Amino acid sequence: GNQPEIPTHMKALLFLCLVIGVASKAAPDNFKVEFTTSNPTGKIVLNITREWAPIGTDRFYELVTTGFYNDCAFFRYVPDFVVQFGIAGTPAQNNKWDKKSIKDDPVKHSNTKGTLVFADAGPNTRTTQLFINFRDNSGLDGQGFAPFGEVIENTLPDATDLHNPTPGNSNGVNQQDYTTKGNAWIKKNYPHISFLDKATIMQ
């Protein structure tokens, strides 16, 4: 009844395969992404720098290239602070990614005005949610929020012009409801909410 031992060199190979299996494909060192929004003039262009936060950049690249961010709502807008998004419009997509958290990156670039950052729920919990800083929020640096890109300056007004679905409530819409009920729910309850229609890697 003894289990045969896997030879050491095979163990190493097996481990390597497992690691490669779960890691996101490495993103380019620098690339641009265009967010087309539901606002009439809405085009937010971001410059991504992998060196600032490689783990976060690789996850973002994977999510953009697989279409995760297409047709998702900007569900939290806090004036002069941030806009947050990154819950998919379909519950099936959220189920797919909900438990696939990534490790934290060290903070190499400050949360300056216009930077793109993963939101989290504590250490090593980043999955899909993002925010854009509307001002210098360098106070977030010490909390472990690691920017990995920034909005190209002349398109930042297209981010600040997004609709605030919950004036007076800085928490935004109920994230659990949006996660489980999708776009049909959010459009019914917040008919004027702004959407990220499409995220595209610019060639």
Side-chain angles (χ1 to χ4, degrees):
N2 289 343
Q3 290 292 336
E5 275 290 311
I6 300 172
T8 305
H9 71 281
M10 288 299 290
K11 276 184 186 169
L13 190 64
L14 187 64
F15 177 71
L16 193 64
C17 288
L18 289 171
V19 170
I20 290 170
V22 296
S24 297
K25 183 183 170 207
D29 291 339
N30 289 94
F31 58 99
K32 285 187 172 65
V33 174
E34 182 179 84
F35 288 167
T36 307
T37 77
S38 57
N39 284 13
T41 58
K43 274 198 185 347
I44 302 165
V45 180
L46 300 115
N47 193 38
I48 310 299
T49 305
R50 187 175 184 269
E51 185 184 1
W52 291 358
I55 300 169
T57 300
D58 291 350
R59 167 56 60 87
F60 175 69
Y61 186 77
E62 182 179 12
L63 290 167
V64 171
T65 54
T66 56
F68 179 88
Y69 293 115
N70 297 347
D71 203 25
C72 77
F74 292 97
F75 62 81
R76 181 181 179 224
Y77 183 109
V78 187
D80 198 36
F81 184 50
V82 299
V83 64
Q84 190 169 333
F85 59 102
I87 294 174
T90 57
Q93 278 279 39
N94 293 318
N95 287 338
K96 178 181 174 182
W97 289 98
D98 194 39
K99 302 285 187 284
K100 294 184 178 179
S101 55
I102 54 174
K103 289 185 176 174
D104 291 337
D105 283 292
V107 179
K108 293 184 181 175
H109 188 283
S110 185
N111 282 261
T112 48
K113 183 178 180 179
T115 45
L116 178 69
V117 193
F118 270 96
D120 64 42
N124 303 311
T125 58
R126 297 181 299 171
T127 53
T128 62
Q129 289 194 34
L130 302 164
F131 63 88
I132 294 170
N133 284 304
F134 284 158
R135 65 173 187 196
D136 183 345
N137 287 324
S138 53
L140 297 175
D141 298 354
Q143 298 176 42
F145 292 102
F148 60 93
E150 57 190 341
V151 177
I152 290 172
E153 198 169 315
N154 64 349
T155 68
L156 190 57
D158 291 310
T160 54
D161 283 349
L162 295 166
H163 179 72
N164 181 357
T166 58
N169 179 0
S170 62
N171 292 323
V173 309
N174 186 302
Q175 294 184 30
Q176 188 59 34
D177 280 343
Y178 185 33
T179 300
T180 57
K181 299 174 185 175
N183 281 343
W185 174 84
I186 210 165
K187 286 176 180 176
K188 180 182 176 186
N189 288 278
Y190 303 94
H192 302 296
I193 200 161
S194 297
F195 274 86
L196 199 177
D197 290 339
K198 189 162 192 193
T200 314
I201 309 286
M202 299 172 75
Q203 301 304 328

